[in-house]
Amino acid sequence: MATATHEVTENEAKARPALEAVVVRFAGDSGDGMQLTGGQFTLSTALAGNDLATFPDFPAEIRAPQGTTFGVSAFQINFGSSAIETAGDAPDVLIAMNPAALKMNTKALREGGLIIADEGEFTPRNLAKAGYENNPLEDGSLAKWQLVHFNISQLTLDAVKPFGLGNKEALRCKNMWTLGLALWMFDRDRQPIIDWLNAKFAKAPQLAEANIAALNAGHAYGETAEIGGQVHQRHLAAAPAEPGLYRTVTGAESLSLGLMAGAQLAELPMFFGGYPITPASAILHHLSRLKEYGITTFQAEDEIAAICSAIGASYAGSLGVTSSSGPGIALKGEAMGLAIMTELPLVIVNSQRGGPSTGLPTKTEQSDLYQAVYGRNGDAPMPVIAARSPADAFDCAIEAVRIATRYMTPVMLLTDGYIANAAEPWKVPDMSAYEPFPVTFAEGSALEPDNDQVMPYQRNEDLARPWIKPGTVGLEHRIGGIEKNPGTGNIDYSPEAHAEMTRLRAAKVNGVADSIPDQDVCLGTNNGRMVVVGWGSTFGPIHQAVRRSRARGLDVSHIHIRYIAPFPKNLAVLLKSYDHILVPEMNSGQLKTLLRDQFLVDARPLNKVSGQPFTIAEIEAAIEEAIR
């Protein structure tokens, strides 16, 4: 075991007072189990009562060569005794399982932060794979950080030796050894992890015992090895929270539960048609476990079949839902037009990722906003809403179901890779506080009074047509993708019919604004020098940056938009009450363009398309520059 100590200067100490939060990043090869390690550390953190936010970062390759920079997998968690809204700008602690993980992640570590490295993996072969000419643990290149390195691989082998595992199987336990050390460092209880290991390996108790032994060995090493003054046990008090039942939830889990709850509030069975694609696949996985709530899941042969099966289910009287990411949403485009033309309720979830084409399949981005608002042939308007966090996805899913069933329209719900995979504490809601919106299927009311003709496009006060279940006696009808006569639904592609139906479909979607709340200001005032406008997963860094800026006396506020099509009715007046508008987005400026187009305001962009979320510091610096 070796250490290298960075002496913290007096100025550094003053600039960095005692923390209420800590950012830890686990990084290693994609076969090292970093996501599992991070997930279990998240569980222990939630049970300790800390607030938290996580950021899993996967390699794009299915299985990059072991030990290369392409195959590095990382998991970052920000946790503490105060409100946490982002996964953290810069890690305070980096646990690097090999040279490639060190190389890919040191640039993110704050100066003076702690590196814990597995020196057993810093062999000449692994150093060469990572592109190091010299061993960074020995050449002084890491001098601006605190460095601790010891042979985690050998310590793991020693810990699990009594269980007779082969070398390869034994080394798979080193993520548990590392987790044990991390649990000691932050005063975490091991028992929930032990219970989880026993359940996971119930059919292979030898593996359970080996992993538990590794976990305990890592914990004991922290207690007994006197690693160094920079590695010590720290306890962070529980964060204040409203009384209630809490659980840790990812965006995919929260959204799946919200879809289920929305279907229950609408008193409908739900049909989900999906096709696997990163990062949307988890929704199919979660919904497939909820059959007892009237949910049918179908893994189709392709994206087009997935959405068409969901449209068929909606035609038959179920809530149709489909999900994908950008490339799959593109394939679903024609069928979305069919759902708009037939005016059937449908929820389409887009878990955005970097594009175009295959792009950055495991990285986050917000570059599908144009696709959501405009991305269909013809004039084909569709309501679009966006979740801002994993927990918020629950309510957004319910709202998507409400709009779809009330207005007889497809609705697109936008999340992204960060929201889908990240986790945060979620207060389980009291469902009695949610107002049901039960669907009423058409019976005799869909008949024209004078001649008993079925009127499948007769409209109510919301301009929604009746929902007629196939087989309803006396209401036999046909619908399809060809333009139709207003009211009767008969095929009619005359200029007058097309113009009227185009107008009605647009008016119906615009009318959604009548049943959504006015836009609020989530931090700051309703007017002033500057407002930062965001949507989706930029909420956390924007909110913290605005909070810090206001603490420094800057006149800046934060507006975060959930309803993107249509916008809330008061948004135009609200935006025009500020002198400057800054719009941070993980794209090239798509919301900025929408705001300029619809409201003629001078919205200025702050764009990031690196596949990584914004940091608080990036937005804070942009506020400072723009408000001078």
Side-chain angles (χ1 to χ4, degrees):
M1 184 268 290
T3 66
T5 304
H6 168 78
E7 295 294 337
V8 179
T9 67
E10 184 178 350
N11 287 337
E12 286 176 330
K14 288 179 180 176
R16 196 164 182 83
L19 292 175
E20 293 182 324
V22 176
V23 181
V24 177
R25 182 180 294 187
F26 300 91
D29 193 78
S30 56
D32 286 339
M34 292 297 94
Q35 304 305 321
L36 186 146
T37 303
Q40 292 306 304
F41 188 78
T42 299
L43 171 64
S44 70
T45 301
L47 291 172
N50 295 133
D51 198 7
L52 63 94
T54 69
F55 177 50
D57 193 12
F58 311 96
E61 290 78 5
I62 292 174
R63 190 65 178 94
Q66 190 171 4
T68 64
T69 55
F70 302 104
V72 173
S73 177
F75 186 100
Q76 182 165 307
I77 176 171
N78 183 12
F79 60 98
S81 55
S82 57
I84 301 294
E85 287 164 337
T86 78
D89 278 14
D92 300 293
V93 180
L94 169 63
I95 300 176
M97 304 301 288
N98 64 12
L102 181 69
K103 185 165 192 176
M104 295 299 292
N105 290 280
T106 45
K107 59 187 176 183
L109 189 65
R110 71 166 178 87
E111 189 169 341
L114 172 64
I115 297 172
I116 299 175
D118 178 8
E119 68 179 32
E121 289 293 318
F122 281 70
T123 62
R125 177 179 172 82
N126 283 346
L127 289 167
K129 283 183 180 179
Y132 282 115
E133 294 183 3
N134 301 302
N135 190 338
L137 304 183
E138 301 170 352
D139 66 3
S141 61
L142 304 176
K144 67 178 179 179
W145 297 288
Q146 302 177 71
L147 174 63
V148 175
H149 53 93
F150 40 86
N151 197 331
I152 294 175
S153 298
Q154 186 59 53
L155 290 166
T156 302
L157 291 173
D158 294 343
V160 304
K161 188 175 182 181
F163 301 95
L165 301 180
N167 198 63
K168 188 175 181 180
E169 278 189 315
L171 283 174
R172 285 178 180 162
C173 299
K174 71 178 181 177
N175 64 329
M176 286 297 110
W177 194 101
T178 305
L179 178 59
L181 177 63
L183 293 176
W184 172 80
M185 287 175 63
F186 297 103
D187 194 22
R188 298 281 183 259
D189 184 7
R190 281 167 286 162
Q191 192 58 49
I193 314 301
I194 292 170
D195 294 342
W196 175 81
L197 286 167
N198 281 322
K200 180 177 176 64
F201 295 109
K203 295 182 180 179
Q206 184 183 30
L207 291 179
E209 291 300 323
N211 278 281
I212 291 168
L215 181 81
N216 290 333
H219 193 278
Y221 191 85
E223 286 182 312
T224 61
E226 297 182 4
I227 298 172
Q230 64 271 49
V231 182
H232 53 83
Q233 192 170 57
R234 169 184 280 174
H235 177 81
L236 277 77
E242 295 179 9
L245 174 65
Y246 286 81
R247 58 163 291 185
T248 300
V249 69
T250 67
E253 290 172 322
S254 173
L255 195 146
S256 300
L257 292 171
L259 290 170
M260 176 196 74
Q264 296 283 309
L265 291 169
E267 298 181 4
L268 290 173
M270 187 178 111
F271 177 93
F272 179 88
Y275 181 76
I277 184 171
T278 302
S281 302
I283 297 171
L284 171 61
H285 302 160
H286 291 303
L287 287 174
S288 67
R289 304 185 186 108
L290 300 173
K291 295 182 178 66
E292 66 269 31
Y293 296 100
I295 296 174
T296 301
T297 52
F298 170 56
Q299 180 174 317
E301 66 269 28
D302 56 45
E303 297 282 9
I304 299 171
I307 187 171
C308 287
S309 65
I311 293 171
S314 289
Y315 177 64
S318 293
L319 173 66
V321 181
T322 190
S323 170
S324 192
S325 297
I329 296 295
L331 290 169
K332 295 178 190 289
E334 183 182 0
M336 280 189 259
L338 176 62
I340 290 168
M341 178 66 84
T342 55
E343 300 188 46
L344 286 167
L346 179 70
V347 176
I348 304 149
V349 181
N350 182 354
S351 299
Q352 300 166 94
R353 68 190 205 185
S357 187
T358 306
L360 308 175
T362 61
K363 310 301 180 184
T364 196
E365 209 164 86
Q366 293 179 298
S367 52
D368 294 349
L369 190 61
Y370 287 161
Q371 184 185 44
V373 177
Y374 302 123
R376 293 160 294 280
N377 67 292
D379 284 310
M382 176 193 299
V384 178
I385 62 177
R388 72 185 192 185
S389 69
D392 185 54
F394 178 82
D395 286 324
C396 285
I398 292 175
E399 184 67 347
V401 175
R402 182 193 71 82
I403 293 171
T405 53
R406 174 170 173 173
Y407 293 91
M408 292 294 286
T409 179
V411 176
M412 188 170 289
L413 170 55
L414 296 173
T415 71
D416 58 41
Y418 176 59
I419 290 176
N421 295 316
E424 66 179 358
W426 176 54
K427 184 181 179 183
V428 179
D430 177 5
M431 291 308 298
S432 66
Y434 287 77
E435 185 176 348
F437 42 88
V439 166
T440 301
F441 290 97
E443 295 177 355
S445 61
L447 296 172
E448 190 173 35
D450 295 337
N451 58 13
D452 291 339
Q453 181 181 2
V454 179
M455 300 288 285
Y457 284 85
Q458 177 178 291
R459 300 181 185 275
N460 64 15
E461 63 277 6
D462 292 322
L463 299 181
R465 75 173 189 86
W467 195 353
I468 306 173
K469 275 190 181 182
T472 303
V473 176
L475 295 183
E476 294 83 359
H477 67 289
R478 293 181 299 172
I479 59 175
I482 298 180
E483 189 59 279
K484 45 195 59 43
N485 178 267
T488 68
N490 295 332
I491 292 174
D492 186 348
Y493 40 85
S494 67
E496 296 79 12
H498 179 57
E500 178 64 5
M501 290 297 277
T502 299
R503 183 193 69 78
L504 286 168
R505 288 189 290 264
K508 179 176 70 170
V509 172
N510 289 334
V512 171
D514 294 332
S515 70
I516 63 176
D518 282 348
Q519 180 63 52
D520 65 342
V521 179
C522 47
L523 184 61
T525 59
N526 289 344
N527 54 66
R529 183 91 185 276
M530 182 178 185
V531 64
V532 184
V533 180
W535 67 280
S537 65
T538 56
F539 175 84
I542 291 175
H543 206 65
Q544 290 285 13
V546 171
R547 178 177 288 140
R548 291 181 184 180
S549 298
R550 290 180 63 82
R552 298 201 323 273
L554 298 182
D555 182 7
V556 58
S557 300
H558 176 199
I559 289 174
H560 216 76
I561 301 174
R562 171 185 283 184
Y563 301 93
I564 295 174
F567 284 123
K569 285 184 167 183
N570 70 322
L571 185 58
V573 173
L574 190 57
L575 292 178
K576 289 175 181 178
S577 64
Y578 298 94
D579 298 333
H580 303 283
I581 301 170
L582 180 68
V583 186
E585 298 180 81
M586 292 186 290
N587 58 42
S588 297
Q590 298 184 20
L591 177 64
K592 172 267 301 178
T593 302
L594 288 178
L595 295 177
R596 286 180 175 181
D597 169 49
Q598 295 204 26
F599 305 133
L600 300 178
V601 293
D602 185 21
R604 299 298 178 93
L606 174 63
N607 306 129
K608 184 173 184 177
V609 286
S610 66
Q612 301 294 318
F614 275 105
T615 64
I616 301 168
E618 287 170 335
I619 298 175
E620 197 173 2
I623 292 171
E624 179 105 21
E625 182 179 351
I627 207 169
R628 279 180 192 163

